[in-house]
Amino acid sequence: FYSVCLIDASGSVHGIIWQENMQDFHETLCSKVVNIKSLVTQNSDGHYQLMIREMTECSEYQFSDYINGLSEDESSKYLNYLWKYINSIKDTSLQELVRHVFEGINDLEKYPATSDGHHHFSGGFLVYIISVTSMAKYIQYSLTTYNRTPTISPPYHIDLLTAASLLHAVGIVRMITPAPEMKRIPCT
């Protein structure tokens, strides 16, 4: 038999695949996202485990379902991106506003973006806003650089775009408790 440890964002569980259910490709599934069909059993010690009947590689999944959160290095990297974007705002009033908002959020790197959905892991909010800001800045750059219609060249306000993309979802920080609980707060 194979002894298997399955892990996702909610925790881990042990399972067994007996010889009659083993396939040659099962060894190649280590560290991959898999679909399983199994039975849940309880052993004599009272511990639960899975009796796996079928296991295949999963081709479509949401990555955030399989991570518990950012590592210390990743948190540091995303916080550096955040402050890089804040410091890139040349308009002093906008920069001060964005700076004030983010300085007021303790443990920013622990908040998820949602309790169940996209970026629902510790640090998910930070990853989400950096991703949105990166995309917004790239689209702005692309439009100003590669615009094929010179007569339609609106002036883009990059400081406003950066501030808006950083702040667009900041209200959700107070709606969900930090990881690992990640519960919606009833009154926000």
Side-chain angles (χ1 to χ4, degrees), residues 31-32 136:
S31 299
K32 300 211 173 149

Side-chain angles (χ1 to χ4, degrees), residues 40-188:
V40 178
T41 61
Q42 187 175 17
N43 64 19
S44 58
D45 297 337
H47 294 100
Y48 292 96
Q49 69 179 17
L50 300 174
M51 301 296 284
I52 301 169
R53 296 182 299 183
E54 200 175 303
M55 183 168 59
T56 57
E57 185 170 359
C58 183
S59 59
E60 292 186 24
Y61 57 91
Q62 192 155 34
F63 186 68
S64 59
D65 289 334
Y66 300 95
I67 58 174
N68 291 322
L70 299 177
S71 68
E72 218 173 285
D73 288 342
E74 291 168 329
S75 291
S76 178
K77 179 176 100 175
Y78 279 100
L79 284 169
N80 286 335
Y81 284 139
L82 173 70
W83 291 107
K84 176 183 155 198
Y85 283 138
I86 291 171
N87 292 329
S88 77
I89 301 172
K90 293 175 181 62
D91 182 299
T92 54
S93 299
L94 276 176
Q95 187 187 80
E96 189 58 35
L97 170 69
V98 177
R99 181 180 300 282
H100 178 73
V101 168
F102 282 103
E103 285 175 345
I105 303 172
N106 296 327
D107 298 325
L108 178 63
E109 68 280 1
K110 293 182 180 168
Y111 284 96
T114 61
S115 59
D116 184 22
H118 75 90
H119 297 86
H120 57 282
F121 54 88
S122 179
F125 175 76
L126 196 53
V127 172
Y128 172 66
I129 61 168
I130 296 304
S131 298
V132 167
T133 304
S134 297
M135 287 186 289
K137 288 179 77 79
Y138 182 78
I139 290 168
Q140 180 274 329
Y141 170 78
S142 180
L143 286 173
T144 57
T145 305
Y146 304 111
N147 189 349
R148 300 283 185 207
T149 314
T151 58
I152 306 174
S153 295
Y156 296 101
H157 194 310
I158 191 64
D159 286 346
L160 186 59
L161 178 70
T162 304
S165 59
L166 287 169
L167 293 175
H168 83 279
V170 77
I172 64 170
V173 170
R174 304 277 186 233
M175 295 172 69
I176 303 168
T177 60
E181 302 88 26
M182 293 191 290
K183 294 181 181 143
R184 190 170 177 89
I185 298 169
C187 293
T188 56

